Tab-separated table of all heavy atoms in Angstrom:
chain	number	residue	atom	x	y	z
A	1001	THR	N	-9.490	17.198	6.249
A	1001	THR	CA	-9.186	18.100	7.341
A	1001	THR	C	-8.464	19.286	6.717
A	1001	THR	O	-7.271	19.062	6.259
A	1001	THR	CB	-8.449	17.505	8.532
A	1001	THR	OG1	-9.224	16.401	8.933
A	1001	THR	CG2	-8.298	18.486	9.613
A	1002	LEU	N	-8.970	20.535	6.783
A	1002	LEU	CA	-8.244	21.638	6.287
A	1002	LEU	C	-7.093	22.113	7.267
A	1002	LEU	O	-7.055	21.664	8.347
A	1002	LEU	CB	-9.276	22.820	6.144
A	1002	LEU	CG	-10.502	22.480	5.236
A	1002	LEU	CD1	-11.448	23.745	5.235
A	1002	LEU	CD2	-10.282	22.098	3.877
A	1003	PRO	N	-6.270	23.066	6.703
A	1003	PRO	CA	-5.120	23.459	7.654
A	1003	PRO	C	-5.559	23.969	8.990
A	1003	PRO	O	-4.893	23.877	9.981
A	1003	PRO	CB	-4.454	24.531	6.760
A	1003	PRO	CG	-4.677	24.083	5.309
A	1003	PRO	CD	-6.150	23.557	5.525
A	1004	ASP	N	-6.927	24.684	9.022
A	1004	ASP	CA	-7.323	25.163	10.255
A	1004	ASP	C	-7.939	24.203	11.126
A	1004	ASP	O	-8.427	24.608	12.276
A	1004	ASP	CB	-8.228	26.426	9.918
A	1004	ASP	CG	-9.495	26.041	9.145
A	1004	ASP	OD1	-9.660	24.820	9.009
A	1004	ASP	OD2	-10.151	27.011	8.839
A	1005	GLY	N	-8.173	22.916	10.597
A	1005	GLY	CA	-8.706	21.949	11.479
A	1005	GLY	C	-10.145	21.614	11.233
A	1005	GLY	O	-10.761	20.729	11.598
A	1006	LYS	N	-10.785	22.521	10.433
A	1006	LYS	CA	-12.083	22.283	9.903
A	1006	LYS	C	-12.256	21.010	9.008
A	1006	LYS	O	-11.286	20.780	8.287
A	1006	LYS	CB	-12.666	23.588	9.241
A	1006	LYS	CG	-14.120	23.447	8.690
A	1006	LYS	CD	-14.491	24.666	7.889
A	1006	LYS	CE	-15.902	24.398	7.350
A	1006	LYS	NZ	-16.238	25.516	6.441
A	1007	VAL	N	-13.302	20.352	9.146
A	1007	VAL	CA	-13.512	19.067	8.352
A	1007	VAL	C	-14.514	19.348	7.265
A	1007	VAL	O	-15.612	19.920	7.568
A	1007	VAL	CB	-13.916	17.854	9.256
A	1007	VAL	CG1	-14.167	16.551	8.405
A	1007	VAL	CG2	-12.727	17.580	10.222
A	1008	ILE	N	-14.236	18.971	6.019
A	1008	ILE	CA	-15.153	19.025	4.892
A	1008	ILE	C	-15.226	17.749	4.103
A	1008	ILE	O	-14.502	16.813	4.377
A	1008	ILE	CB	-14.723	20.236	3.949
A	1008	ILE	CG1	-13.435	19.820	3.178
A	1008	ILE	CG2	-14.513	21.511	4.527
A	1008	ILE	CD1	-13.161	20.637	2.045
A	1009	THR	N	-16.293	17.721	3.324
A	1009	THR	CA	-16.563	16.571	2.467
A	1009	THR	C	-16.772	17.195	1.050
A	1009	THR	O	-16.789	18.390	0.921
A	1009	THR	CB	-17.700	15.699	2.857
A	1009	THR	OG1	-18.941	16.423	2.650
A	1009	THR	CG2	-17.597	15.334	4.217
A	1010	LYS	N	-17.081	16.251	-0.029
A	1010	LYS	CA	-17.328	16.688	-1.316
A	1010	LYS	C	-18.597	17.582	-1.373
A	1010	LYS	O	-18.723	18.536	-2.174
A	1010	LYS	CB	-17.351	15.626	-2.313
A	1010	LYS	CG	-18.696	14.900	-2.261
A	1010	LYS	CD	-18.634	13.794	-3.305
A	1010	LYS	CE	-19.828	12.899	-3.405
A	1010	LYS	NZ	-19.826	11.934	-4.576
A	1011	LYS	N	-19.508	17.478	-0.349
A	1011	LYS	CA	-20.653	18.297	-0.291
A	1011	LYS	C	-20.314	19.917	-0.155
A	1011	LYS	O	-21.040	20.725	-0.397
A	1011	LYS	CB	-21.598	17.872	0.845
A	1011	LYS	CG	-22.147	16.565	0.562
A	1011	LYS	CD	-23.051	16.089	1.713
A	1011	LYS	CE	-23.551	14.735	1.482
A	1011	LYS	NZ	-24.269	14.229	2.630
A	1012	ASP	N	-19.061	20.043	0.322
A	1012	ASP	CA	-18.708	21.466	0.724
A	1012	ASP	C	-18.026	22.224	-0.494
A	1012	ASP	O	-17.645	23.218	-0.530
A	1012	ASP	CB	-17.759	21.558	1.942
A	1012	ASP	CG	-18.468	21.078	3.168
A	1012	ASP	OD1	-19.405	21.674	3.487
A	1012	ASP	OD2	-18.068	20.093	3.760
A	1013	LEU	N	-17.711	21.340	-1.587
A	1013	LEU	CA	-17.063	21.858	-2.744
A	1013	LEU	C	-18.158	22.546	-3.602
A	1013	LEU	O	-19.345	22.388	-3.481
A	1013	LEU	CB	-16.544	20.711	-3.595
A	1013	LEU	CG	-15.396	19.903	-2.869
A	1013	LEU	CD1	-14.876	18.754	-3.901
A	1013	LEU	CD2	-14.173	20.820	-2.536
A	1014	LYS	N	-17.759	23.429	-4.466
A	1014	LYS	CA	-18.603	24.135	-5.359
A	1014	LYS	C	-19.263	23.276	-6.374
A	1014	LYS	O	-18.656	22.288	-6.808
A	1014	LYS	CB	-17.732	25.241	-6.220
A	1014	LYS	CG	-17.192	26.296	-5.358
A	1014	LYS	CD	-16.262	27.166	-6.213
A	1014	LYS	CE	-15.518	28.166	-5.435
A	1014	LYS	NZ	-14.560	28.975	-6.096
A	1015	LYS	N	-20.385	23.648	-6.645
A	1015	LYS	CA	-21.273	22.853	-7.603
A	1015	LYS	C	-21.176	23.475	-8.991
A	1015	LYS	O	-20.899	24.597	-9.200
A	1015	LYS	CB	-22.761	22.711	-7.152
A	1015	LYS	CG	-22.961	22.324	-5.778
A	1015	LYS	CD	-22.626	20.916	-5.484
A	1015	LYS	CE	-22.942	20.522	-4.142
A	1015	LYS	NZ	-21.888	20.267	-3.288
A	1016	ASN	N	-21.342	22.743	-10.028
A	1016	ASN	CA	-21.433	23.036	-11.369
A	1016	ASN	C	-19.963	23.777	-11.855
A	1016	ASN	O	-19.934	24.693	-12.582
A	1016	ASN	CB	-22.446	24.002	-11.742
A	1016	ASN	CG	-23.878	23.323	-11.460
A	1016	ASN	OD1	-24.039	22.204	-11.929
A	1016	ASN	ND2	-24.693	23.929	-10.770
A	1017	VAL	N	-18.947	23.121	-11.344
A	1017	VAL	CA	-17.620	23.647	-11.619
A	1017	VAL	C	-16.622	22.556	-11.874
A	1017	VAL	O	-16.846	21.459	-11.159
A	1017	VAL	CB	-16.976	24.523	-10.423
A	1017	VAL	CG1	-15.612	24.888	-10.750
A	1017	VAL	CG2	-17.901	25.726	-10.118
A	1018	LYS	N	-15.878	22.452	-12.854
A	1018	LYS	CA	-14.939	21.465	-13.001
A	1018	LYS	C	-14.046	21.351	-11.927
A	1018	LYS	O	-13.636	22.420	-11.394
A	1018	LYS	CB	-14.123	21.648	-14.402
A	1018	LYS	CG	-15.012	21.534	-15.610
A	1018	LYS	CD	-14.293	21.602	-16.871
A	1018	LYS	CE	-15.168	21.394	-18.178
A	1018	LYS	NZ	-14.363	21.487	-19.434
A	1019	THR	N	-13.628	20.114	-11.581
A	1019	THR	CA	-12.803	19.956	-10.394
A	1019	THR	C	-11.580	19.084	-10.794
A	1019	THR	O	-11.637	18.174	-11.538
A	1019	THR	CB	-13.696	19.199	-9.357
A	1019	THR	OG1	-14.817	19.888	-9.114
A	1019	THR	CG2	-12.769	18.901	-8.034
A	1020	LEU	N	-10.363	19.565	-10.199
A	1020	LEU	CA	-9.151	18.745	-10.247
A	1020	LEU	C	-8.889	18.208	-8.788
A	1020	LEU	O	-8.703	19.073	-7.977
A	1020	LEU	CB	-8.048	19.611	-10.776
A	1020	LEU	CG	-6.593	18.982	-10.610
A	1020	LEU	CD1	-6.544	17.702	-11.465
A	1020	LEU	CD2	-5.617	20.020	-10.960
A	1021	VAL	N	-8.854	16.985	-8.598
A	1021	VAL	CA	-8.432	16.392	-7.361
A	1021	VAL	C	-6.952	16.071	-7.603
A	1021	VAL	O	-6.573	15.250	-8.502
A	1021	VAL	CB	-9.262	15.135	-6.991
A	1021	VAL	CG1	-8.626	14.481	-5.751
A	1021	VAL	CG2	-10.732	15.420	-6.834
Side-chain angles (χ1 to χ4, degrees):
T1001 305
L1002 302 180
D1004 63 5
K1006 180 182 174 190
V1007 176
I1008 65 165
T1009 66
K1010 73 177 184 179
K1011 292 178 183 177
D1012 297 301
L1013 298 176
K1014 295 176 187 171
K1015 309 294 184 244
N1016 300 314
V1017 177
K1018 290 185 179 183
T1019 302
L1020 169 63
V1021 177

